[in-house]
Amino acid sequence: MSATSLHCSAPAAAENVQDSLLLSQPLILQERQQQQQEEQHRTLRRSASNTTSQVAIVGSNLCPIESLDYEITENVLFKQDWRSREKIQIVQYIFMKWTLCFLIGFFVSLVGFFNNLAVENIAGLKFVITSNMMLARKFMAAFIIFSSSNLALALFASLITAFIAPEAAGSGIPEVKAYLNGVDAPAIFSLRTLFVKIVGSISAVSSSLNIGKAGPMVHTGACIAAILGQGGSKKYGLTWKWIRYFKNDRDRRDFVTCGSAAGIAAAFRAPVGGVLFALEEMASWWKSALLWRAFFTTAVVAIVLRALIDVCLRGECGLFGKGGLIMFDVTSADISYHLWDVPPVILLGVIGGILGSLYNSLLQKVLRIYNLINEKGTVYKILLACSISICTSCLLFGLPWIASCRPCPLDPSEPCPTIGRSGNYKKFQCPPGHYNDLASLFFNTNDDAIKNLFSKNTDAEFHHLSMLIFFVTCFFLSIFSYGIVAPSGLFVPVIVTGASYGRFVGMLVSSHSNLNHGLFAVLGSASLLGGSMRMTVSLCVIILELTNNLLLLPLIMLVLLISKTVADAFDANIYDLIMKSKGLPYLEDHSEPYMRQLTVGDVVTGPLQLFHGVEKVSNIVHVLKTTGHNGFPVVDEPPFSESPVLSGLILRAHLVILLKKKAFVPTPMQMFSNSFNEFLADDFAKKGLGNGDRIEDISLSEEEMNMFVDLHPFTNTSPYSVVETMSLAKALLLFREVGLRHLLVIPKVSGGIPVVGILTRHDFMPAHILNLHPMLLRSITRKRLRFQLPSWSKLL
Amino acid sequence: MSATSLHCSAPAAAENVQDSLLLSQPLILQERQQQQQEEQHRTLRRSASNTTSQVAIVGSNLCPIESLDYEITENVLFKQDWRSREKIQIVQYIFMKWTLCFLIGFFVSLVGFFNNLAVENIAGLKFVITSNMMLARKFMAAFIIFSSSNLALALFASLITAFIAPEAAGSGIPEVKAYLNGVDAPAIFSLRTLFVKIVGSISAVSSSLNIGKAGPMVHTGACIAAILGQGGSKKYGLTWKWIRYFKNDRDRRDFVTCGSAAGIAAAFRAPVGGVLFALEEMASWWKSALLWRAFFTTAVVAIVLRALIDVCLRGECGLFGKGGLIMFDVTSADISYHLWDVPPVILLGVIGGILGSLYNSLLQKVLRIYNLINEKGTVYKILLACSISICTSCLLFGLPWIASCRPCPLDPSEPCPTIGRSGNYKKFQCPPGHYNDLASLFFNTNDDAIKNLFSKNTDAEFHHLSMLIFFVTCFFLSIFSYGIVAPSGLFVPVIVTGASYGRFVGMLVSSHSNLNHGLFAVLGSASLLGGSMRMTVSLCVIILELTNNLLLLPLIMLVLLISKTVADAFDANIYDLIMKSKGLPYLEDHSEPYMRQLTVGDVVTGPLQLFHGVEKVSNIVHVLKTTGHNGFPVVDEPPFSESPVLSGLILRAHLVILLKKKAFVPTPMQMFSNSFNEFLADDFAKKGLGNGDRIEDISLSEEEMNMFVDLHPFTNTSPYSVVETMSLAKALLLFREVGLRHLLVIPKVSGGIPVVGILTRHDFMPAHILNLHPMLLRSITRKRLRFQLPSWSKLL
């Protein structure tokens, strides 16, 4: 069971996953000898002396990280169910689906707005109090207030995260992305997680940690969508009965996609960007109907936010500053750029790409160290969070003292020094008529810092050195802040860091360029985002929606293309790296070159567990208890058919329900008509996430154990199948595109047992395949040589 | 053969397709009796007395509209080829693919720019000359010049289209969309078509017909991409040898997708909109790597266009006016709207949706009538085009006389009346100091009319009645202009019509709304586009990029959502309607409800043609000559194997190559090693579109006819297959998602012949299925009742 715990404890370091796969998949090279395998099936299934060591052999399926099932299950019962659906039910279904999308958009926008409002007020209050103390020149007291309030907020966030919902830590984007790929990590969409994610994110962001709120918003959106889609939370008694149509993985997946789109839309007020983000980065399956649904959801977000902001613009939101949710408006009709502005922009893109990949690899390394600390226990987790908070407070308060005071400009576009909450010219320790440029960046919320950096007509505001200090501090602070046990996003820190980097480059080349420093900051953000997150269209649209300036489009496209290309030469997308280090079995949409050389038969492992069409109860119980498989082939043999015939595939969940309902007969016989009276299709509907029954909870008498079950009505009679000689690449295409959980492998030559094995998601994982076929490791030297090829070859 | 010609003559009316299917698929209800079918195979294949009537039975495959093959073909030869690819070749492949994308973007932007430049200059010259004559009050002469130049231009466009490339008629978007779905209509991507599309579009648009240039630009982009991707045109001796890697359907599909994205990007200067258009409307398969590639292509377009426009802004482009390629800039920082602005916008959306679906159904009816005329001969086609041109000229010149002259505003934002080429205040017949508001709209290019309608601070410029006249005229003119034999788009006419409709509504409700009339025009365009083309995200982004105003976003989203929802209740997307009326077998990504009740075995029709592993040459020739199938199962029987084994699938194209190479042996025997020496994988590479060899071109001697061929090395040993009991809906999912051309159906019970039949694209067409199963027609009454459900059910 150690394999399981390692595999599923999130986050586990990448090496651990390798180990767990080594443990769970012994290096039995499968020889594709039909007879031998056939022998195995029989002996293993029939013998009652199965030891627990069998469990380890099929270990990869034991992990509580379940995979989702997007296949249309075709058993007799479900077919009846579909036929019995009336027109009115179909209309109800459509209506409910749209209503849910509306509700998702509505709730997500409310949460997004409330989130911003809370952060702006809590952080604003903190800054107003400390600023007032600074004005009274009580510097020490100001520092104590500042750092202790930060510590308290960070402590609160990490406490609730560690004790109530550890799944809420981090950004949540990797988990949601894995879910949309078909990996169901436990408890990521529970009501508990949702609560901690919202409250923890507000508290952590208010504590001036260098973390963002966009990632948590995506997770929040997905959570809201998942909870609404499964009809509320059963655990807390909040359930809606009328959402009975969505008890399947496909509809839930669609809702979660819409929810994550709404999350980005609410975080950045970027509705189109949200849809594109969900499409480009999150979703693994997509169709145009879903595009429209996501668009509808984000439109609701946009309209609700717009109405709520109208309220705030009337000044009824307390300390709601200029940064929160208001666009970083860099509109100016006179932006003009020419051919000679292109080289600096290209340079910005190249360095941005290098910085982005450096950022990813450093973050990955820091996460590994943090994992070692976090594994030691909850106290260590919280101590880590607190120490990061204290360090951050010291840096934010200490570093501005380095900067010399600068005299206010003669015709400032806004009051100098800043009065009240947010502004470009923070006074800090300076004498009247002066401002501290570093404090304007550090001693502010991230949103305000971005606004300052993006602002135009402020080319003289910042000193070279200040900008460099700010950039370096942000770069490292954001890397060290992400891994703590609190909800924390990556978007905003990367935007701040990128903006400071871009503005610094702008200062260096300003004599050779027409572009103002604010535009350089925008392009710098784009380059670092492109280098770290590796999105294209969605980032482009998000930046456009943030800055509200379409004239920048060609330059932003150029920067994104260059920085992504450069960064792809070094390492992968930050979310993929985090996902990999958490051990989530993400199925890529492209196959590795060696998969074309392997056949499906080469990777089918382990003894095959199969059932007869009419099976003894004790056999079923035994197999269910000793293996972790989620699907079993059902085969009819001579008493019931002329030759062995593959009847289909039965799911563990359905078997458990059968056992629970105790629909047994004393002798082995088929009984078609009776079974339907006892079962409704609703019984087989997918339960809420992680709420299915377990075999251990079912107790059966000795007599019952000797009875039989007719599995035929509950068997999916036409599962997708491939011939054993098909290449792995081709089978992966089918598995991935159709969204399967099980793929039956049938023999090339008929006559023997009509099924060779079952492929699951784990069988397609490169680590698993390379373990099975160490001779492919021979080509690892080749792999090392073309270190940069895998990331390139994705583009094929 | 009449079935074929009806089915493939483009455009054929929808009824004809029904007829052709009736002809080609006799109503043999398949009883799934294994033995009977088996008998059939043998007798049919073995008997030499096959009459030509057999051809009709398998007619649906005979049609020159081929389907494309996205399956990974796994025969021994191809596997060897992949293994022999060196690292350097992979790098070459990647490099070439990006280079081609760059070239596609570059050429498409050049064509787009040249297209605009030519239209602006030709149409501009025409308007300047006639305006000058009007100033000299030579009204009759002006009309003659105007209408005769229009007629000459339209005649030229229709002449080259009718005689050189009839495939270039229309917008081309339906054909490209069908191609990306896997339907290869003949000659749509030839060099001839490209030439006619570019020249014809310039000439037709310049002739003041109410047609657009965006559709033809998409076709042009796709054409350029396809021609570059297949290494130039063999027919005209323009070939590049170095593009040998892209001789397959998958790579070509990717290029064509990028090309169509580039087309929209060049037509509207909307690079992000172009990518989204290709994604939402055009592509049937999509992955994130392709998203990036399309983004790169459109970024090239954006940058090249930007550079070229810089040249024009310096005034070096002749009569290049404000409309062409310059954005319809409606930026204003002070756009503010509140809750009470929403009801008029919702009204706009609802009426827009109704108008849009009305537009679609009228256009479809007009196209049917035009088809009847066009089928009579080329002369009729050209006469039709000329009469439409004359009518248009009369309306454009005649209608402004209705409008009364309006005095110039006191503080006009631009000269009044207009001097020179383009402007808001056309003088027409009016006295000095006055302008004719209808002439400002009619007597202008469409681009300039849109610009006038979108412009702000011109609320008093137009009279109610003028706007209504303009709207009605545009609405009908665009419907009657689309079907003529010339390249003609739908985007721009719909934008103009929608803008006038929106502005008219804006005038009616102006007393109750804050929004200015220009904004109403933008929203009106959005609503009509949404009602007719039914896109969401892409239209939204295209409109944003056209108008350069992000603050409008929530309103545009709202209008699009409403108009699409309303219109979907009535009929389908305009491109789908045109595609259907052209008889292109488009495979939807959702299945009809009745497909869940049918099994795959229910739709497998016709006698199955199969080959032995080692087959007699005369048999192959006979089968190839008497059927139109593109793929044949290969079965090994007792002399070569113990029991009948399905060896795989062989393609017609590969068989023809085998026959051409004459790799025969005198006796039936397997010969593995020899075959490879004679063949290179390149021999089997997909030829350029429609350039494959034909069986009729191969002549064989009597002696050769009696020899044998070993098909094993050339057989795809692991084609995708489904069990005959699988539901059609589930099989369709596999067929569609993986992008297949053939799907093997295997029997549930092994023992007999190991294959039941082959499914192709045509077998999934609703018309075909309903023909096979007339008992489903029983539910047609049900279908009629829920007339509006099918379009809704797409959203599930």
Side-chain angles (χ1 to χ4, degrees), chain B residues 176-199:
Chain B
V176 177
K177 190 176 173 183
Y179 176 84
L180 291 176
N181 188 263
V183 182
D184 194 359
I188 54 163
F189 293 143
S190 69
L191 207 59
R192 241 169 356 123
T193 310
L194 176 62
F195 167 77
V196 171
K197 201 92 197 184
I198 297 173
V199 177

Side-chain angles (χ1 to χ4, degrees), chain A residues 74 293 718 720 727 730 795, chain B residues 74 293 720 727 730 795:
Chain A
E74 296 196 319
R293 206 178 291 285
S718 49
Y720 289 104
S727 81
K730 212 167 154 178
L795 319 174
Chain B
E74 296 196 320
R293 206 180 291 285
Y720 291 103
S727 80
K730 214 167 153 178
L795 319 175

Side-chain angles (χ1 to χ4, degrees), chain A residues 460-618:
Chain A
E461 186 183 342
F462 300 102
H463 191 263
H464 282 61
L465 192 64
S466 306
M467 200 48 73
L468 190 61
I469 292 172
F470 184 67
F471 164 62
V472 173
T473 316
C474 278
F475 189 83
F476 287 104
L477 262 188
S478 66
I479 288 173
F480 283 100
S481 305
Y482 175 77
I484 64 165
V485 58
S488 54
L490 279 168
F491 255 102
V492 173
V494 170
I495 294 178
V496 181
T497 313
S500 56
Y501 145 69
R503 195 139 180 151
F504 180 68
V505 171
M507 285 170 170
L508 293 183
V509 302
S510 60
S511 53
H512 308 290
S513 174
N514 271 342
L515 303 177
N516 72 51
H517 296 177
L519 290 186
F520 267 104
V522 174
L523 295 175
S525 294
S527 76
L528 205 61
L529 282 170
S532 173
M533 323 226 156
R534 316 286 163 84
M535 289 172 270
T536 50
V537 188
S538 50
L539 276 182
C540 185
V541 173
I542 289 173
I543 294 171
L544 286 181
E545 291 188 288
L546 273 178
T547 58
N548 192 23
N549 196 324
L550 272 161
L551 295 170
L552 280 178
L553 185 59
L555 288 184
I556 292 177
M557 289 178 99
L558 187 67
V559 155
L560 281 173
L561 278 173
I562 292 170
S563 68
K564 178 173 156 66
T565 311
V566 170
D568 269 345
F570 295 105
D571 53 15
N573 172 340
I574 184 72
Y575 297 122
D576 287 348
L577 291 178
I578 296 175
M579 210 153 48
K580 206 178 267 177
S581 80
K582 289 200 171 188
L584 298 169
Y586 188 85
L587 210 60
E588 297 285 347
D589 67 349
H590 62 97
S591 52
E592 301 292 330
Y594 58 77
M595 289 186 184
R596 297 191 79 156
Q597 297 171 36
L598 288 174
T599 68
V600 164
D602 293 334
V603 297
V604 168
T605 53
L608 180 67
Q609 301 286 355
L610 46 77
F611 289 122
H612 287 186
V614 178
E615 187 58 271
K616 203 174 172 190
V617 174
S618 60

Side-chain angles (χ1 to χ4, degrees), chain B residues 41 519 732:
Chain B
H41 306 156
L519 290 186
L732 174 62

Side-chain angles (χ1 to χ4, degrees), chain A residues 304-604:
Chain A
V304 173
L305 277 184
R306 166 101 211 170
L308 290 172
I309 284 169
D310 265 1
V311 175
C312 278
L313 286 178
R314 277 184 251 132
E316 294 168 20
C317 296
L319 293 167
F320 203 89
K322 284 189 204 161
L325 265 186
I326 314 287
M327 290 181 192
F328 310 115
D329 208 329
V330 294
T331 309
S332 66
D334 57 348
I335 292 177
S336 65
Y337 43 92
H338 300 287
L339 216 56
W340 56 86
D341 292 322
V342 172
V345 170
I346 290 176
L347 181 76
L348 203 70
V350 172
I351 303 178
I354 295 170
L355 281 176
S357 67
L358 185 68
Y359 185 91
N360 288 5
S361 76
L362 286 179
L363 184 61
Q364 204 189 5
K365 289 199 172 67
V366 169
L367 283 181
R368 259 184 227 168
I369 298 166
Y370 277 18
N371 278 338
L372 296 179
I373 300 171
N374 286 342
E375 274 172 15
K376 287 188 182 166
T378 316
V379 179
Y380 286 86
K381 283 187 193 177
I382 291 165
L383 280 179
L384 179 67
C386 291
S387 51
I388 294 292
S389 169
I390 293 169
C391 283
T392 306
S393 297
C394 292
L395 286 172
L396 296 192
F397 198 89
L399 284 173
W401 295 90
I402 298 176
S404 52
C405 293
R406 293 164 74 87
C408 282
L410 294 177
D411 51 346
S413 50
E414 50 179 307
C416 175
T418 299
I419 301 151
R421 164 80 182 73
S422 55
N424 269 359
Y425 303 100
K426 286 263 174 177
K427 190 168 169 291
F428 213 65
Q429 91 289 17
C430 292
H434 287 70
Y435 71 97
N436 183 323
D437 60 345
L438 254 183
S440 301
L441 300 171
F442 274 127
F443 206 60
N444 230 334
T445 58
N446 274 334
D447 286 358
D448 281 323
I450 295 172
K451 200 169 167 59
N452 288 352
L453 288 169
F454 281 5
S455 62
K456 58 178 191 252
N457 302 330
T458 52
D459 286 4
E461 186 183 342
F462 300 102
H463 191 263
H464 282 61
L465 192 64
S466 306
M467 200 48 73
L468 190 61
I469 292 172
F470 184 67
F471 164 62
V472 173
T473 316
C474 278
F475 189 83
F476 287 104
L477 262 188
S478 66
I479 288 173
F480 283 100
S481 305
Y482 175 77
I484 64 165
V485 58
S488 54
L490 279 168
F491 255 102
V492 173
V494 170
I495 294 178
V496 181
T497 313
S500 56
Y501 145 69
R503 195 139 180 151
F504 180 68
V505 171
M507 285 170 170
L508 293 183
V509 302
S510 60
S511 53
H512 308 290
S513 174
N514 271 342
L515 303 177
N516 72 51
H517 296 177
L519 290 186
F520 267 104
V522 174
L523 295 175
S525 294
S527 76
L528 205 61
L529 282 170
S532 173
M533 323 226 156
R534 316 286 163 84
M535 289 172 270
T536 50
V537 188
S538 50
L539 276 182
C540 185
V541 173
I542 289 173
I543 294 171
L544 286 181
E545 291 188 288
L546 273 178
T547 58
N548 192 23
N549 196 324
L550 272 161
L551 295 170
L552 280 178
L553 185 59
L555 288 184
I556 292 177
M557 289 178 99
L558 187 67
V559 155
L560 281 173
L561 278 173
I562 292 170
S563 68
K564 178 173 156 66
T565 311
V566 170
D568 269 345
F570 295 105
D571 53 15
N573 172 340
I574 184 72
Y575 297 122
D576 287 348
L577 291 178
I578 296 175
M579 210 153 48
K580 206 178 267 177
S581 80
K582 289 200 171 188
L584 298 169
Y586 188 85
L587 210 60
E588 297 285 347
D589 67 349
H590 62 97
S591 52
E592 301 292 330
Y594 58 77
M595 289 186 184
R596 297 191 79 156
Q597 297 171 36
L598 288 174
T599 68
V600 164
D602 293 334
V603 297
V604 168

Side-chain angles (χ1 to χ4, degrees), chain A residues 275-288:
Chain A
V275 175
L276 294 178
F277 174 82
L279 160 67
E280 187 176 1
E281 184 59 32
M282 305 300 285
S284 295
W285 289 277
W286 195 268
K287 47 191 222 169
S288 59

Side-chain angles (χ1 to χ4, degrees), chain B residues 78 575 777:
Chain B
F78 271 37
Y575 297 124
L777 289 172

Side-chain angles (χ1 to χ4, degrees), chain B residues 154 157-159 161-162 166 169-170 374 378 381-382 384-385 481-487:
Chain B
S158 62
L159 278 177
T161 310
N374 286 341
T378 316
K381 284 186 194 178
I382 290 165
L384 179 67
S481 304
Y482 176 77
I484 63 165
V485 58

